[in-house]
Amino acid sequence: MKLNLLKIVEYVIYSCQALEREPMDAKIENILEIWHKHFNDEENQYSEFEPSDIEYFVGCMLYNHFAFSKALDNLKTIDLSYDFLSSCGDEYEHIKEMIAEIKFDTEEESLKFLQEYINEAQQKYTQAELYLLNRLAYHVGAMAERYAKNVDVQRIDFENPLLRK
C-alpha cells in the first residue's frame, strides 16, 4: 500500500511540474513576438539586422540565465552585441525579467530546453540566415556532449577547444 501511495504522489508531483512548464513555450513565443514586432519597424533595426538575430539573442539570454557549470571558461556567458542591445528598446528589461522566471530543477533539463529552443528556431530560417543560430547550436551541442560524458572542463585544449574527443 505504501509503495502505491508513493507512486501516486510521485505521479502527481510529476504532473504538476509538467503543467507548470507548459506555459514556458508560450512565454518564449511571447518574448519572440515582442521583439519581432519591435524590430519589424525599420527605425529599430541596426545596420546588419537579420530576423534570425532575435532567436539567436534570446538563445544567448537563455544560455546566460541557465549558467551551465560545464560551459567552457571562455563561454560561461555569451555577450550580446552592442548593436542589438542599443536597438532593442525598453523591451529588453521586460524580456530579461521574463527569462529570469524560466527555471528548471537540473542543468540537464535547462540544457534540453535550450537545445529544443535552438532546434525550433533553426527550422524557421533558411541556411543563409542561420549563421548565428548555428554557432550557438554548435557550442551548446559541444556542452551537451560534456554533460552526456559527465566531463568537467579543467582547461581549454586549443587543439580540441570544444572537447569533442
Side-chain angles (χ1 to χ4, degrees):
M1 182 70 172
K2 271 187 172 177
L3 186 58
N4 287 339
L5 184 58
L6 182 60
K7 286 189 182 248
I8 291 170
V9 169
E10 286 175 352
Y11 177 76
V12 169
I13 290 170
Y14 176 79
S15 298
C16 289
Q17 288 173 338
L19 287 173
E20 287 174 10
R21 292 199 177 121
E22 282 180 341
M24 217 170 302
D25 288 335
K27 186 175 290 189
I28 292 295
E29 287 302 319
N30 187 24
I31 289 168
L32 295 173
E33 185 180 310
I34 290 168
W35 265 341
H36 277 287
K37 184 178 178 183
H38 174 80
F39 283 105
N40 198 37
D41 181 350
E42 287 185 19
E43 292 290 318
N44 296 329
Q45 295 177 7
Y46 46 92
S47 64
E48 296 181 23
F49 173 79
E50 292 285 338
S52 61
D53 292 358
I54 294 167
E55 279 78 2
Y56 169 75
F57 287 114
V58 169
C60 291
M61 291 177 76
L62 288 166
Y63 178 95
N64 293 344
H65 167 63
F66 293 142
F68 296 106
S69 64
K70 293 192 184 297
L72 295 175
D73 287 341
N74 65 335
L75 284 172
K76 291 291 184 189
T77 60
I78 298 176
D79 293 339
L80 302 179
S81 82
Y82 175 77
D83 288 342
F84 182 80
L85 288 173
S86 62
S87 300
C88 64
D90 296 335
E91 290 86 350
Y92 176 76
E93 288 302 321
H94 176 62
I95 288 172
K96 192 171 151 185
E97 290 171 9
M98 292 172 71
I99 286 177
E101 294 171 1
I102 298 173
K103 296 186 182 357
F104 292 96
D105 295 330
T106 67
E107 287 188 22
E108 290 80 3
E109 289 175 312
S110 299
L111 178 61
K112 183 178 181 207
F113 178 81
L114 181 57
Q115 287 178 301
E116 289 172 358
Y117 166 79
I118 293 168
N119 186 48
E120 287 179 28
Q122 287 173 314
Q123 304 308 311
K124 296 179 183 180
Y125 298 100
T126 66
Q127 193 59 38
E129 298 169 311
L130 289 175
Y131 172 74
L132 291 174
L133 277 168
N134 285 344
R135 193 171 89 181
L136 180 61
Y138 181 77
H139 290 298
V140 170
M143 185 175 57
E145 287 181 33
R146 290 191 294 280
Y147 277 94
K149 295 175 184 176
N150 197 23
V151 175
D152 289 323
V153 178
Q154 303 280 322
R155 63 181 178 80
I156 297 173
D157 176 355
F158 288 99
E159 291 181 26
N160 182 21
L162 296 178
L163 300 177
R164 288 206 177 259
K165 293 180 190 171

